[in-house]
Amino acid sequence: MNYVGPGPSLTHFYQVSDSEAVRGAQIPTRVAAMMVPIYRDKSKLPNLRSPFISPSRRPISLLSMVREKDICWEYAEKLDGNKVKCKFCQRILNGGISRLKHHLSRLPSKGVNPCSKVRDEVTDRVRAIIASKEEVKETSTVKKQKLTEVKSLGIASTPKALISMDAISPIMKVFPTVSPMASPSMNNQENAEKSIALFFFENKLDFSVARSSSYQLMIDAIAKCGPGFTGPSAETLKTTWLERIKSEVGLQSKDVEKEWTTTGCTVIADTWTDNKSRALINFLVSSPSRTFFHKSVDASAYFKNTKCLADLFDSVIQEFGPENVVQIIMDSSFNYTGIASHIVQNYGTIFVSPCASQCLNLILEEFSRVDWVSRCILQAQTISKFIYNNASLLDLMKKFTGGQDLIRTGITKSVSNFLSLQSMLKQRTRLKHMFHSPEYASNSSYPNKPQSLSCIAIAEDADFWRTVEECVAISEPFLKVLREVSEGKPTVGFIYELMTRAKESIRTYYIMDENKCKTFLDIVDKKWRDQLHSPLHAAAAFLNPSIQYNPEIKFLSSIKEDFYKVLEKLLPVPDMRRDITNQIYTFTKAHGMFGCSLAKEARTTVSPWLWWEQYGDSAPGLQRVAIRILSQVCSTFSFQRHWSTFQQIHSEKRNKIDRETLNDLVYINYNLKLAKQMKAKPLEVDPLQVDDIDMTSEWVEESENTSPTQWLDRFGTALDGSDLNTRQFSAAMFGANDPIFGL
């Protein structure tokens, strides 16, 4: 009779004869007693690797069948004997499929030379197979160890018994100097953090990844799986999960599309130039509920070809539906392509609008080019460079500021300049205390340096701080407008009022200095007139209840004409304009539902488009137009925060990633970031500020061959700017051909 005896795993059974079980294999009596009769059909045996049977006694046909089922045979050619031939490098290996796996895994183990021609996805697949098998061995080893501990209960164990029996993972074979075990003093929390840190360091991941919302979600999900969880392989990530998550994101966009028939949508065309000088056009679509990234197109070959660009934009408009698109926002890169004229001529109800944030950035950039403002910025940079290029001094500064940085990195150079001046002004007193502190004086590495003397002189200069205050006063109103339009929310109904209030703040501040007032207002008016003013902005302001019913607003009469032009464009057929005059009168006089108590209370507390949806029934024709206009954004700025997505994904070599996979990866990555941004509260994220300090900016990085007293050498002792060539300074400060937004 044949019997089955328990092998190393309770799920594996091995067939032996009576004589082998008792005599040859010398199975313990207790184990032999556990054997039970089985069928003689050997094809039903799940595993023949029994420690009780010599290889010569195992059926050869069944061993061959097991070998043939190993998926790694598709990468090798079986030769005579126990030899295999790698299909990639044609190397012949002794030892069968096991040595081939280590050959393909490219792990320096088992004395096998790594394959030099194997594809990356094959290597990842084979490594996953090896890791899973080692995990099974590890589980078996742990069970044996626990059984041994139970048997030897009460018996003193040797020091060797304390050694971990865990199998060595592939990463530990690659990095043998890293201990796979937690030290006795290391608890589970610390060990987990160490493992996560190793993952970041090994893969050169940006530390800011730990700030992402999906980071903690991932850790929580893995913790629920318990020990032994095996992560998806590179191949599974690239195929199965990429497709599944892309489909889920696409379904979310389909849900939002339903509102377009009522609110309309804005198509955003945002250009980006990579380090290979490719012109990439990123298309996004925005409506009140969400903003979605649509696709990225490489237009390098035809960016200046109006016909090709027109075909591209036509295809995008058709994908969204011309009847749904209210406006297309373009950056200044399209100014000379003729595409705006093409859209206006071919689509009667679609507006082409400038990017409000780009115009505001140009205003701030012009502010920073004014002589006395540029001098102030350079003096402030003298202090920041000295501090940030000395580690001990940087630590001392943070001690005095309570851990806060002295400077801020904005999304553009001009924004960085004024945010940093604002930050330095807040730290003025603490900065002075630091320079006069015993800690500063006792450190011989910097008190007597020429740079130190220059910084102390600037910090003690009352005129310098008055100038900083002035720079902050004139820039803050426009930074505020920039924040409002950069949150990705429908703000087209507010841009007119916000710009008007910002200009009024300049007039109020310079009420006693007409020359300076004129200097800055001329800059604002020129940019507003040439680049920002749009009839759609005026119409939105006219329809905004918080503006229409505000007695302090003085510009309503001046925007009426633009409002009527927009109505003519959106209501081209006479039947559509029937009774529109009476409806306008009902709205402006707050008759009907416009005058009810709820509508009055909600004028300044509810989004304008939603206010019209709730209380605009007294003017149904005007209501439809108002909702479509007031539901739009007026800026691409918030979406330009994610240019790093394209820089990272487009530029890196990702295992020779194909174009389709790359586009899917960009689609998912961008939309996940947009979703997080839309959910963030305004107080949590400053849309103008980057999380980390840019250590290559003019506020930190020392220029080559700088003089210790550079700020004195350049401006003279009086610092009156008489010897400053503005054009030369502009080139030195911003670059000879500095493009907008770093493009």
Side-chain angles (χ1 to χ4, degrees):
M1 181 181 293
N2 294 323
Y3 293 88
V4 168
S9 171
L10 294 179
T11 60
H12 294 168
F13 299 90
Y14 306 93
Q15 187 174 28
V16 297
S17 66
D18 292 334
S19 59
E20 285 177 322
V22 180
R23 299 186 191 90
Q26 296 181 357
I27 301 176
T29 304
R30 186 175 58 170
V31 176
M34 294 171 62
M35 295 179 177
V36 296
I38 64 164
Y39 293 100
R40 294 180 178 274
D41 186 359
K42 295 181 180 180
S43 64
K44 294 183 179 180
L45 294 176
N47 193 334
L48 295 175
R49 291 183 172 273
S50 170
F52 311 120
I53 307 176
S54 64
S56 62
R57 290 180 177 267
R58 296 173 191 155
I60 296 176
S61 59
L62 291 181
L63 287 174
S64 300
M65 180 182 69
V66 173
R67 286 178 180 143
E68 291 293 342
K69 287 184 179 180
D70 197 308
I71 62 174
C72 288
W73 278 113
E74 66 180 282
Y75 307 129
E77 178 183 347
K78 188 164 57 175
L79 303 178
D80 294 337
N82 201 24
K83 296 181 179 180
V84 292
K85 183 178 180 180
C86 176
K87 289 185 178 181
F88 296 102
C89 67
Q90 307 303 315
R91 181 186 292 272
I92 297 176
L93 304 168
N94 291 317
I97 195 67
S98 177
R99 292 175 72 82
L100 174 76
K101 290 177 184 176
H102 287 280
H103 172 67
L104 296 177
S105 71
R106 296 191 290 201
L107 293 172
S109 60
K110 302 293 184 183
V112 182
N113 291 324
C115 183
S116 59
K117 297 183 179 180
V118 62
R119 299 193 303 272
D120 290 340
E121 61 266 25
V122 174
T123 295
D124 292 337
R125 186 180 184 187
V126 174
R127 287 186 180 184
I129 293 171
I130 294 174
S132 64
K133 288 193 174 183
E134 288 178 347
E135 222 172 82
V136 173
K137 292 180 182 178
E138 179 182 345
T139 304
S140 175
T141 304
V142 171
K143 288 182 178 178
K144 280 185 177 180
Q145 188 178 4
K146 287 182 178 178
L147 184 60
T148 303
E149 289 174 356
V150 171
K151 287 181 178 180
S152 59
L153 193 62
I155 301 176
S157 59
T158 62
K160 290 184 178 179
L162 298 176
I163 300 176
S164 173
M165 299 296 289
D166 290 350
I168 300 176
S169 66
I171 188 174
M172 294 307 171
K173 294 174 182 176
V174 179
F175 302 102
T177 57
V178 180
S179 172
M181 303 178 296
S183 63
S185 61
M186 188 178 290
N187 57 28
N188 291 338
Q189 170 77 17
E190 192 174 356
N191 189 36
E193 290 185 5
K194 177 183 177 182
S195 300
I196 294 171
L198 286 173
F199 175 74
F200 271 73
F201 304 153
E202 179 192 357
N203 296 283
K204 304 186 293 292
L205 295 180
D206 189 336
F207 298 144
S208 62
V209 169
R211 298 192 185 104
S212 65
S213 57
S214 56
Y215 174 70
Q216 188 59 44
L217 289 175
M218 173 187 69
I219 293 175
D220 291 341
I222 293 174
K224 290 179 181 178
C225 294
F229 171 76
T230 302
S233 66
E235 188 67 22
T236 304
L237 290 171
K238 183 180 177 181
T239 54
T240 305
W241 282 109
L242 189 67
E243 185 60 36
R244 284 178 63 176
I245 294 179
K246 180 190 174 186
S247 298
E248 290 178 7
V249 174
L251 288 175
Q252 294 175 12
S253 67
K254 291 296 181 184
D255 291 339
V256 174
E257 287 178 18
K258 298 175 184 177
E259 73 179 9
W260 292 353
T261 55
T262 302
T263 65
C265 63
T266 292
V267 176
I268 298 170
D270 177 30
T271 57
W272 176 77
T273 305
D274 69 1
N275 53 11
K276 295 181 180 179
S277 298
R278 291 182 300 175
L280 301 172
I281 305 176
N282 304 320
F283 289 99
L284 302 95
V285 58
S286 178
S287 56
S289 294
R290 273 285 295 273
T291 296
F292 279 95
F293 170 78
H294 181 56
K295 65 181 178 181
S296 179
V297 178
D298 185 353
S300 307
Y302 54 85
F303 190 76
K304 295 184 179 180
N305 186 317
T306 303
K307 175 64 171 63
C308 293
L309 276 182
D311 291 341
L312 173 61
F313 274 81
D314 286 341
S315 67
V316 172
I317 291 172
Q318 292 301 324
E319 288 170 355
F320 296 130
E323 70 282 0
N324 294 324
V325 180
V326 176
Q327 68 169 341
I328 296 179
I329 296 180
M330 302 178 181
D331 58 44
S332 59
S333 302
F334 293 99
N335 286 352
Y336 306 103
T337 61
I339 188 61
S341 300
H342 167 81
I343 294 172
V344 171
Q345 292 172 7
N346 288 272
Y347 300 94
T349 60
I350 297 179
F351 292 85
V352 177
S353 303
C355 174
S357 59
Q358 195 172 46
C359 174
L360 288 161
N361 185 73
L362 288 172
I363 289 173
L364 292 172
E365 187 173 304
E366 288 298 317
F367 282 6
S368 65
R369 294 179 188 271
V370 175
D371 287 349
W372 62 268
V373 177
S374 64
R375 291 199 303 271
C376 178
I377 291 172
L378 193 59
Q379 291 176 26
Q381 288 175 352
T382 301
I383 296 177
S384 65
K385 287 177 182 179
F386 178 56
I387 292 175
Y388 279 86
N389 283 279
N390 189 310
S392 59
L393 183 55
L394 180 60
D395 291 339
L396 182 62
M397 181 272 292
K398 289 194 174 183
K399 177 182 176 182
F400 276 83
T401 62
Q404 297 182 28
D405 273 297
L406 188 63
I407 59 177
R408 299 283 184 269
T409 298
I411 198 164
T412 65
K413 290 181 180 179
S414 55
V415 171
S416 294
N417 288 338
F418 290 110
L419 287 179
S420 293
L421 287 178
Q422 189 179 96
S423 177
M424 289 188 72
L425 184 62
K426 291 179 180 178
Q427 303 294 344
R428 169 175 50 183
T429 303
R430 295 172 180 175
L431 199 59
K432 289 182 178 180
H433 288 166
M434 183 198 73
F435 282 124
H436 291 286
S437 67
E439 296 97 322
Y440 184 84
S442 61
N443 193 319
S444 59
S445 61
Y446 39 76
N448 296 321
K449 285 186 176 181
Q451 296 97 323
S452 174
L453 298 176
S454 300
C455 290
I456 293 174
I458 296 173
E460 292 297 320
D461 188 349
D463 290 337
F464 165 72
W465 290 112
R466 277 193 292 269
T467 305
V468 173
E469 289 176 351
E470 192 171 346
C471 290
V472 170
I474 61 171
S475 62
E476 179 54 29
F478 295 94
L479 289 173
K480 182 179 179 181
V481 178
L482 197 52
R483 286 189 182 93
E484 291 288 337
V485 301
S486 300
E487 292 181 353
K489 299 177 182 177
T491 51
V492 69
F494 295 98
I495 183 65
Y496 211 100
E497 180 192 14
L498 290 171
M499 288 299 294
T500 301
R501 291 186 183 279
K503 290 169 63 177
E504 286 299 321
S505 68
I506 295 288
R507 292 191 183 95
T508 301
Y509 188 80
Y510 286 124
I511 193 170
M512 302 298 292
D513 194 331
E514 186 176 343
N515 289 333
K516 282 189 175 180
C517 182
K518 185 177 185 306
T519 297
F520 291 103
L521 286 182
D522 285 349
I523 292 173
V524 176
D525 290 339
K526 186 176 187 302
K527 298 300 179 185
W528 171 269
R529 180 180 63 252
D530 297 345
Q531 298 194 26
L532 182 56
H533 177 68
S534 166
L536 194 66
H537 297 161
F542 190 87
L543 292 168
N544 187 341
S546 67
I547 295 176
Q548 179 65 229
Y549 302 122
N550 187 346
E552 296 181 1
I553 298 295
K554 308 297 182 184
F555 58 75
L556 279 174
S557 58
S558 64
I559 62 175
K560 258 189 179 181
E561 185 177 353
D562 283 336
F563 167 65
Y564 292 140
K565 288 180 180 178
V566 171
L567 282 183
E568 291 175 6
K569 187 176 177 72
L570 294 179
L571 303 172
V573 182
D575 288 346
M576 299 175 68
R577 297 196 293 265
R578 184 180 295 116
D579 200 36
I580 198 67
T581 301
N582 291 335
Q583 293 183 34
I584 295 172
Y585 181 82
T586 301
F587 164 60
T588 55
K589 299 302 180 182
H591 292 170
M593 288 184 65
F594 294 119
C596 72
S597 298
L598 288 176
K600 289 180 179 180
E601 293 171 1
R603 287 172 182 173
T604 58
T605 59
V606 174
S607 182
W609 72 270
L610 185 58
W611 184 89
W612 270 94
E613 185 180 79
Q614 296 297 318
Y615 308 110
D617 293 348
S618 299
L622 188 61
Q623 181 187 43
R624 287 192 293 272
V625 172
I627 292 174
R628 289 178 68 84
I629 292 175
L630 293 168
S631 296
Q632 311 312 314
V633 295
C634 60
S635 169
T636 68
F637 198 70
S638 59
F639 317 119
Q640 291 159 350
R641 289 175 61 89
H642 307 301
W643 275 333
S644 59
T645 298
F646 297 96
Q647 179 68 40
Q648 182 180 7
I649 297 177
H650 278 281
S651 302
E652 285 189 358
K653 295 180 180 178
R654 293 177 171 265
N655 299 328
K656 300 179 181 178
I657 194 167
D658 58 272
R659 174 61 58 178
E660 184 179 356
T661 302
L662 184 145
N663 288 335
D664 290 346
L665 192 57
V666 172
Y667 178 82
I668 294 171
N669 188 291
Y670 207 122
N671 281 311
L672 288 176
K673 288 187 176 181
L674 286 173
K676 178 184 177 182
Q677 178 180 311
M678 298 295 285
K679 293 178 182 178
K681 297 179 181 179
L683 296 178
E684 293 178 353
V685 179
D686 184 351
L688 306 186
Q689 189 173 320
V690 178
D691 292 330
D692 300 312
I693 299 295
D694 180 7
M695 301 306 288
T696 65
S697 73
E698 295 91 340
W699 287 84
V700 177
E701 194 173 56
E702 293 279 9
S703 57
E704 295 182 1
N705 301 322
T706 54
S707 165
T709 56
Q710 182 183 28
W711 69 282
L712 292 171
D713 295 340
R714 189 171 294 187
F715 300 119
T717 54
L719 295 177
D720 59 2
S722 59
D723 61 339
L724 175 64
N725 183 303
T726 305
R727 182 173 300 177
Q728 289 178 352
F729 172 76
S730 174
M733 187 71 183
F734 299 97
N737 298 300
D738 180 63
I740 301 303
F741 292 102
L743 288 179

